[in-house]
Amino acid sequence: FLLGAFVFIFGLCIGSFLNCVIYRLEAGKSFLKGRSFCPHCKHTLAWLDLIPVFSYLFLNGKCRYCKKQISWEYPVVETATAVLFLLIFLATRDLAQPDSFLILNLLYLWTIASLLIVLFVYDLRHYILPDKILFPAILVVCIWYFVSSIFFQAYTRYEILNTIYASVGAGAFFLAIFLLSRGRAMGFGDVKLAAFMGLFLGWPHILVALFVAFLLGAIIGVILMAL
């Protein structure tokens, strides 16, 4: 229980950092330097203003200094990150693998989850999948396959080729849609995202992911048209 609680709190902190990444990515600023500040009045925030979720609730969703409303997305991203981190931890802790592999695998999945959260929120706001996040995500997956295969023999040559074929196939499928619709059905960022999904999930999991994605998109599309 204590370990799970620690993972959840750690996820909240990472979620707070991801909020910073999303905001500074939008503003074209580096998230590696500079202290956090209010997006409205630009006042530097004290540590009491930066406690994930708690600060938002304690301040009633408003900036301590200018009293302007803080977006509800901040606590939602923090909580979602914490829940995902905890679920990933629970799903991987009982795998029959060496402890060193389990730790690296956990860090790898947390990293991918974090990058996907940034992509999701940014795409939700701007309908853009930034290369500054997509390309590092692809690089992380490639590094993971290399390290885990060399040092832990976690993947066979066949499994590595399987993920490459899934990546090329998914990317080619989305590229065809992009070219045939001349970019009206989806953007080129979706092509790169599909290639990443194929690389990360492999075959046949990529089919399940694409089916669920199209199904959810259709359901949401019908609801929007009905409204």
Side-chain angles (χ1 to χ4, degrees):
F1 175 80
L2 289 177
L3 190 56
F6 173 79
V7 169
F8 189 84
I9 294 172
F10 176 68
L12 287 175
C13 296
I14 295 298
S16 180
F17 171 72
L18 296 182
N19 278 323
C20 173
V21 172
I22 294 166
Y23 174 78
R24 298 196 180 192
L25 190 64
E26 292 173 334
K29 298 180 180 179
S30 172
F31 56 84
L32 298 176
K33 58 183 179 180
R35 296 183 59 184
S36 297
F37 54 86
C38 171
H40 302 295
C41 64
K42 310 303 180 184
H43 193 289
T44 300
L45 301 178
W47 68 270
L48 279 173
D49 306 317
L50 297 172
I51 302 174
V53 179
F54 174 81
S55 292
Y56 182 88
L57 297 175
F58 181 75
L59 296 172
N60 197 28
K62 296 180 180 179
C63 173
R64 181 193 302 272
Y65 310 99
C66 66
K67 305 304 180 184
K68 288 188 176 181
Q69 195 71 33
I70 301 172
S71 173
W72 55 267
E73 288 183 6
Y74 287 93
V76 169
V77 169
E78 291 165 355
T79 304
T81 305
V83 171
L84 279 175
F85 272 40
L86 181 59
L87 290 176
I88 291 171
F89 168 73
L90 294 175
T92 58
R93 64 176 180 172
D94 294 326
L95 295 177
Q97 295 285 353
D99 289 343
S100 55
F101 176 84
L102 290 178
I103 293 173
L104 286 176
N105 185 48
L106 187 61
L107 293 175
Y108 162 65
L109 293 176
W110 280 349
T111 301
I112 293 298
S114 298
L115 292 170
L116 287 175
I117 288 171
V118 174
L119 284 173
F120 173 79
V121 177
Y122 198 90
D123 188 29
L124 192 64
R125 288 183 180 180
H126 306 287
Y127 307 107
I128 295 174
L129 294 166
D131 290 342
K132 289 183 178 180
I133 303 298
L134 259 177
F135 288 154
I138 294 173
L139 180 61
V140 167
V141 176
C142 293
I143 292 174
W144 166 251
Y145 281 131
F146 176 79
V147 171
S148 58
S149 298
I150 295 297
F151 296 100
F152 298 100
Q153 290 77 50
Y155 300 97
T156 64
R157 180 183 177 184
Y158 171 78
E159 290 172 324
I160 297 293
L161 289 174
N162 179 296
T163 62
I164 294 174
Y165 295 150
S167 176
V168 172
F173 174 66
F174 273 61
L175 179 62
I177 297 175
F178 171 78
L179 293 175
L180 291 174
S181 68
R182 297 182 180 180
R184 291 191 296 270
M186 61 180 57
F188 192 68
D190 294 300
V191 178
K192 290 175 281 188
L193 179 63
F196 159 75
M197 288 171 59
L199 194 63
F200 175 65
L201 296 172
W203 181 272
H205 301 98
I206 182 61
L207 289 181
V208 178
L210 293 180
F211 173 78
V212 172
F214 277 100
L215 178 63
L216 290 176
I219 292 173
I220 294 172
V222 170
I223 293 174
L224 291 175
M225 288 188 290
L227 295 175

